[in-house]
Amino acid sequence: MTTIIKFTKMHGAGNDYIYVDTTRYPIADPEKKAIEWSKFHTGIGSDGLILIGVSDKADFSMRIFNADGSEAMMCGNGSRCVGKYVYEYGLTDKTEITLDTLSGIKILKLQVEGKTVNTVTVDMGSPQETGEIDWRKKYPFQSTKVSMGNPHLVTFVDDITRINLPEIGPELENHPLFPDRTNVEFAQIVGKDTIRMRVWERGSGITQACGTGACATAVAAFINGLAGRKSDVIMDGGTVTIEWDETSGHILMTGPATKVFDGEIVEEMES
Ligand SMILES: N[C@H](CCC[C@H](N)C(=O)O)C(=O)O
């Protein structure tokens, strides 16, 4: 017996996920499916799997699974795409949406042109747990830990092109200092309130962009006196604007959300 699961491939600044509306297509084993469907040669190919669902505390819920099947507390780029999805697929006509995530309720403001959502602003809440790490002789730099609900390690360097991310990314992701592992960002100040950032994501490796990582990078830049409260973070796949609101203490992230294609998976059901 087979069952069909419809999905939509979307990306936020090139950070691409498979999106499934679980109110219509429930997914029993998301960890396993995230691994299987994220594979580029034998699956759909993506940075992971995002499940859109209902919530008794918000308009919708979002669960995010990395390509290695690990579930994360939050996904910035994914939350913008969820906002786009629920509006464009007619699940809501609201342009201000609340989203229930493992790191709390996020508020999404959709910028709509006609019937299309091109950019979204997400209130990401307040950053937590910041702190400096001096690697001493181990590495020639120091880093800043920032949590956006999920863990980030941000390191500023003079020349980001000299960073061997495939080598140092997994080393830092899995460092014993981080019992839950960490996302790893390297950043370079390239202009006033303009930051170039590359990311090795926990559970997915190098991605084109990381929304929570861009927030963490902007927070670390402000804490270290390298940028103001509002900065543009330029990543491999695109740019997001981050503002650390002085009154609320919340981080506002504004960036693109793009649909790539709709597809369907035919699953053999265990009889
Ligand atoms: N790899 C992250 C989850 C995805 C976050 C990222 N894609 C974003 O846009 O925030 C983690 O394990 O915490």
Side-chain angles (χ1 to χ4, degrees):
M1 187 195 159
T2 61
T3 183
I4 287 179
I5 298 166
K6 288 191 186 291
F7 69 87
T8 299
K9 192 77 193 305
M10 304 178 84
H11 72 84
N15 185 206
D16 60 310
Y17 291 93
I18 298 156
Y19 292 76
V20 177
D21 173 0
T22 58
T23 63
R24 297 179 61 200
Y25 304 99
I27 305 286
D29 46 358
E31 294 82 357
K32 183 166 162 280
K33 291 290 180 270
I35 294 168
E36 190 184 318
W37 295 346
S38 296
K39 286 186 164 63
F40 283 93
H41 299 295
T42 57
I44 299 164
S46 77
D47 292 327
L49 170 65
I50 288 184
L51 304 184
I52 300 166
V54 294
S55 164
D56 55 8
K57 300 194 290 275
D59 295 318
F60 297 96
S61 66
M62 174 181 79
R63 293 182 71 188
I64 150 105
F65 298 85
N66 293 307
D68 71 352
S70 60
E71 183 167 10
M73 302 284 282
M74 179 54 190
C75 182
N77 289 321
S79 62
R80 299 198 310 274
C81 289
V82 169
K84 178 184 182 76
Y85 182 99
V86 296
Y87 186 87
E88 291 187 5
Y89 283 73
L91 278 66
T92 182
D93 59 3
K94 293 165 69 174
T95 57
E96 185 161 324
I97 294 162
T98 53
L99 189 61
D100 185 6
T101 76
L102 288 182
S103 70
I105 307 282
K106 311 296 177 186
I107 300 168
L108 282 53
K109 287 188 178 152
L110 314 182
Q111 285 90 42
V112 182
E113 287 160 49
K115 291 211 171 300
T116 305
V117 180
N118 291 317
T119 54
V120 179
T121 297
V122 184
D123 179 336
M124 300 287 283
S126 303
Q128 302 109 38
E129 284 166 52
T130 59
E132 298 302 314
I133 298 177
D134 184 341
W135 298 102
R136 299 188 191 287
K137 294 186 183 48
K138 173 89 174 138
Y139 300 113
F141 46 68
Q142 76 172 46
S143 305
T144 305
K145 274 184 11 175
V146 181
S147 170
M148 288 303 300
N150 60 349
H152 295 270
L153 183 75
V154 183
T155 303
F156 289 97
V157 294
D158 294 335
D159 181 354
I160 201 167
T161 64
R162 295 168 59 86
I163 295 296
N164 182 345
L165 202 51
E167 183 182 86
I168 194 159
E171 249 182 69
L172 293 174
E173 172 193 1
N174 297 288
H175 193 283
L177 268 179
F178 313 112
D180 297 324
R181 300 186 291 165
T182 185
N183 298 286
V184 181
E185 288 85 13
F186 283 88
Q188 177 184 344
I189 305 298
V190 294
K192 182 172 177 343
D193 301 335
T194 310
I195 308 165
R196 174 76 172 94
M197 182 268 269
R198 298 198 70 218
V199 58
W200 175 277
E201 282 203 33
R202 175 178 64 171
S204 293
I206 292 178
T207 61
Q208 293 289 294
C210 179
T212 49
C215 297
T217 300
V219 165
F222 180 77
I223 287 174
N224 289 291
L226 299 172
R229 286 189 168 274
K230 185 170 184 178
S231 49
D232 288 334
V233 180
I234 304 166
M235 297 167 280
D236 293 353
T239 299
V240 296
T241 298
I242 309 297
E243 182 170 6
W244 193 353
D245 181 77
E246 195 158 6
T247 314
S248 65
H250 286 196
I251 301 289
L252 302 175
M253 171 191 63
T254 300
T258 307
K259 175 184 163 181
V260 185
F261 65 87
D262 290 310
E264 61 182 47
I265 306 154
V266 180
E267 288 275 288
E268 291 299 327
M269 302 303 288
E270 276 111 49
S271 42

